[in-house]
Amino acid sequence: MIGLGYVGLPLALALARHFDVVGFDISKARVGELRAHRDRTGEVAPSELKATAMSITADPSALKGVDVFIVTVPTPVDDTNKPDLGAVRAACATVGKVMRPGAIAVFESTVYPGVTEDICGPELERSSGLVCGKDFFLGYSPERINPGDREHTVDKITKVVAGQTPEVADRLKAVYGAVTGGNVFVAANIKTAEAAKVIENAQRDINIAFVNEVAMIFNKVGISTHDVLAAAGTKWNFLKFSPGFVGGHCIGVDPFYLAHLAEQLGHDPEVILAGRRINDGMAGFVAERIDVQLGGGPKRVLVLGLTFKENVPDLRNSKVADLVVRLGELGHDVKVHDPLADRDEAREHYGIELLQHLDEGRGSDCVVGAVPHAVYMAFSGRMLSSLVAEGGLVADLKGMWRHVAPTPAYRRWEL
């Protein structure tokens, strides 16, 4: 397993119950914490790390003799929203140096159709001196890990696989099937499997963009989008999406991979990029609406939540950070609290100094419910009243306090 993050670690541990597995990561710090039975992502319990027979290493030489390499490294975009395949290329260089004839290299990272065969294959050839399709073979199996989701774990989902040859596809079906109880779908070919993955996230991005756009409209009308969705959701075939920020390592990134391919082919990806523009602009829209509700700055604002989604410590591509920046630009004094986020990571990546205790945010002119962590969802009216100043504003972006009875002590605003 090349890469022991949110995707690689759970899969490696599941495979290690059936096969001899070597888990590799370039970060010695990551390897050290896993050997100490600690997973900072919160996806794996210490007891599971302690019980596994998997070898965990940062030494590439430990990969010699491996039959199947599974690559689960990040595929972000650069500052211009173009695919950044640097980690994938580096993984190919690492694998190629230790690959022996007959090996299979499987990629799980989200890419656009053609990357595995047209980029990874040649990269592996260069670093190994072997011939792709003759001395070694390629496979693709799109990751479907949903951070924080305890229901759709890797052993309970349908795994899609594709191989460079029918024989490779059959072998991968057996490998992944050992984990999923045989619940494996064999795609027609590698490009098809790559395309299936990238449209899964692009489709979700577009659906959220639609709801975000109607939220912008309804806010100008003066009605709650959550009230509208509650009514519309009574129809049997209504798709239930809610407004909010779209960050993280997948949905906020992967559509750009599909758009990149489209542009290479001379096609203008209008719908895909329109959805991205709306979702990327949502933090700015919310900040400006809050500013209007506050009558302009400067005001003391407490933002609750910084991670890209609820109940996970993952700060990658957090759009709440964009909200914090814009509120600051509008003249407000912004404090941020998140009980799950790593304080050092928040400081390093976003320059945000997280509050250690909620008490430090009491008496704020505005409390923004940005991420529906369970601890915030459980707030009572009394708790909210203790955080917001008399006559202040509670901005509920995810509708998490709709169950709390209204009070004259503070004003409420939601998307």
Side-chain angles (χ1 to χ4, degrees), residues 39-254:
D39 172 28
R40 71 176 66 182
T41 71
E43 294 297 303
V44 173
S47 58
E48 191 172 358
L49 284 168
K50 188 174 183 179
T52 186
M54 176 176 67
S55 169
I56 302 173
T57 182
D59 180 7
S61 66
L63 301 173
K64 292 179 179 178
V66 166
D67 300 303
V68 179
F69 297 87
I70 301 179
V71 178
T72 63
V73 298
T75 46
V77 292
D78 62 19
D79 293 339
T80 63
N81 290 324
K82 298 300 181 185
D84 179 358
L85 297 174
V88 171
R89 292 179 185 273
C92 288
T94 298
V95 170
K97 291 173 183 176
V98 296
M99 179 184 285
R100 64 183 181 181
I104 299 173
V106 187
F107 294 85
E108 292 221 356
S109 309
T110 303
V111 293
Y112 55 84
V115 168
T116 299
E117 293 164 296
D118 301 339
I119 294 178
C120 297
E123 289 282 353
L124 287 166
E125 286 185 326
R126 274 190 287 273
S127 56
S128 68
L130 302 175
V131 178
C132 184
K134 177 184 176 184
D135 300 324
F136 71 90
F137 299 89
L138 301 173
Y140 187 79
S141 180
E143 62 90 1
R144 282 178 170 169
I145 294 293
N146 185 23
D149 189 337
R150 299 295 179 257
E151 179 181 355
H152 303 98
T153 51
V154 69
D155 57 327
K156 299 175 184 175
I157 60 172
T158 300
K159 206 73 172 73
V160 174
V161 300
Q164 193 170 12
T165 67
E167 292 75 20
V168 170
D170 286 342
R171 190 171 178 189
L172 295 181
K173 181 180 179 182
V175 169
Y176 282 101
V179 170
T180 65
N183 189 12
V184 177
F185 179 92
V186 180
N189 49 55
I190 290 175
K191 286 187 175 66
T192 297
E194 291 169 321
K197 171 55 183 175
V198 78
I199 71 165
E200 288 174 14
N201 288 334
Q203 180 190 67
R204 186 165 178 80
D205 190 45
I206 291 166
N207 278 311
I208 297 172
F210 169 74
V211 177
N212 275 339
E213 186 166 39
V214 299
M216 295 176 181
I217 297 168
F218 296 154
N219 258 267
K220 293 180 179 180
V221 177
I223 57 177
S224 165
T225 306
H226 293 284
D227 287 342
V228 174
L229 292 174
T234 61
K235 188 180 179 185
W236 63 91
N237 62 349
F238 185 79
L239 301 179
K240 296 185 179 181
F241 290 87
S242 60
F245 302 149
V246 182
H249 63 297
C250 286
I251 300 176
V253 173
D254 295 349

Side-chain angles (χ1 to χ4, degrees), residues 8-30:
L9 180 61
L11 177 58
L13 290 171
L15 287 167
R17 300 186 193 112
H18 307 275
F19 305 101
D20 182 13
V21 174
V22 179
F24 172 84
D25 200 284
I26 60 171
S27 170
K28 293 181 179 179
R30 176 63 170 164

Side-chain angles (χ1 to χ4, degrees), residues 260-269:
H260 176 75
L261 174 64
E263 290 165 348
Q264 283 188 322
L265 298 172
H267 177 82
D268 183 12

